[in-house]
Structure formats: structure tokens, C-alpha cells
Amino acid sequence: MNNYGFNPKEAYEEYKNLVYRLALARTGDINDAEDVLQEVFYRYMRNKPSFENSDHGKAWFITVTINCTKSLFNSAYRKRQAPLTEDIKGEDMEMDTTLSVVLSLPQKYRTVIHLYYYEDYSIKEIATLLRCGENTVKTRLARGREKLKNALGSEIDV
């Protein structure tokens, strides 16, 4: 039984990219993704979970990341925030076309696309992680692909 609970550094190195990418896909904001990353690893340190294997650890981190992004969106602070009226971007924050189009998708499509294409989860596994039906996942994946195809035109074959 592999237990990452006794080595936080190892768990951080193994799962930080997964957590950050999923948080970015769900929030669409670099700063929010960094906040979620910190919160997920804070919860890891506080709870000290034991994992049977790397798949169990991966599922735990995905579930906690999803829960943290939900908490972020439902927070009273977040509901009182007003969006900036100007589009402020630094040179280092410019994104490539594909990433910016993916981030512009509604959250339900971004999450499913990320888990399917970037984390290689099956439709059944995604349904379990998101606590929804397989047909819901299939529909979101199909609609997300269609939106990507329309936005990117002939640049990509999805």
C-alpha cells in the first residue's frame, strides 16, 4: 500500500500540475486557479489522506479540486465582486488561441473536456467524479467539441 500521507512534498510534485490545470479549466482565471491549488494542498496537509495507489490519489485530488472551485464560486466574497471593465493583460499572460477558446467555454464543458482530453479519464469515470450521468457527460463533451470547432474553425479537428 503506497501512502502519500507521510510525504507531502512527493504528493505536491506528483499532483500540482493536475490540480492547477483542472482549477484553471474550471475557473478560467490564473489567480483563482492558484488560490484553488493552495486550498487543495492545505486540505491535503490538514486531512493527511492515505491512498491505496496513484489512481486513488489522482481521484482524491480531482474531487477536492472540483469541490474547491465550487466553494469559490459560491462564496459570499465572490458574489460581491464586480468584474473589471478593462481587459488587462501582460505580455507573460497572453494565451494561445486554443487555450483562450477552451477557457471561454462554459464551465461544464471546460471541465469535461479537460478531464477527457488532458487527464485521459473515460466517460464513465468522469460521470463518477462529477456525480452525474454518463449521458450528461457525453452531451457536454459533444457540445463542448462543437463549440470548440465553431470557435477555432479549420484550425483544429476535434
Side-chain angles (χ1 to χ4, degrees):
M1 180 174 191
N2 195 358
N3 184 339
Y4 296 108
F6 296 115
N7 191 339
K9 184 177 180 181
E10 181 180 323
Y12 180 76
E13 289 302 319
E14 187 167 344
Y15 297 110
K16 68 180 177 184
N17 291 330
L18 164 82
V19 171
Y20 180 78
R21 288 190 315 257
L22 180 57
L24 182 61
R26 288 185 56 83
T27 63
D29 183 82
I30 293 170
N31 295 318
D32 286 342
E34 290 172 354
D35 289 345
V36 169
L37 176 71
Q38 288 180 2
E39 179 63 22
V40 168
F41 280 96
Y42 168 74
R43 290 181 185 190
Y44 175 79
M45 296 294 292
R46 187 181 66 208
N47 297 329
K48 297 180 177 89
S50 296
F51 306 132
E52 296 171 8
N53 53 43
S54 63
D55 288 341
H56 182 224
K58 186 176 180 181
W60 185 90
F61 278 98
I62 287 173
T63 302
V64 173
T65 303
I66 290 169
N67 291 340
C68 286
T69 58
K70 285 179 183 177
S71 296
L72 176 72
F73 291 131
N74 293 329
S75 72
Y77 172 76
R78 178 76 172 215
K79 290 177 182 176
R80 289 191 311 261
Q81 285 183 319
L84 292 174
T85 56
E86 298 177 28
D87 186 22
I88 302 172
K89 282 190 177 179
E91 287 181 30
D92 60 332
M93 294 178 66
E94 288 184 26
M95 296 181 261
D96 68 332
T97 305
T98 306
L99 179 59
S100 64
V101 171
V102 170
L103 292 177
S104 71
L105 293 174
Q107 181 191 45
K108 61 186 177 183
Y109 302 136
R110 283 194 315 256
T111 301
V112 172
I113 286 172
H114 177 80
L115 291 173
Y116 187 80
Y117 287 107
Y118 293 99
E119 303 305 332
D120 294 322
Y121 274 96
S122 69
I123 290 173
K124 184 176 182 175
E125 292 169 325
I126 295 169
T128 301
L129 287 169
L130 298 179
R131 295 183 180 107
C132 64
E134 288 182 41
N135 287 335
T136 302
V137 173
K138 289 177 187 177
T139 300
R140 289 178 183 175
L141 194 55
R143 288 180 182 165
R145 285 178 184 142
E146 188 63 32
K147 288 182 179 291
L148 282 174
K149 190 173 183 178
N150 290 338
L152 295 172
S154 62
E155 291 180 39
I156 191 167
D157 182 30
V158 288

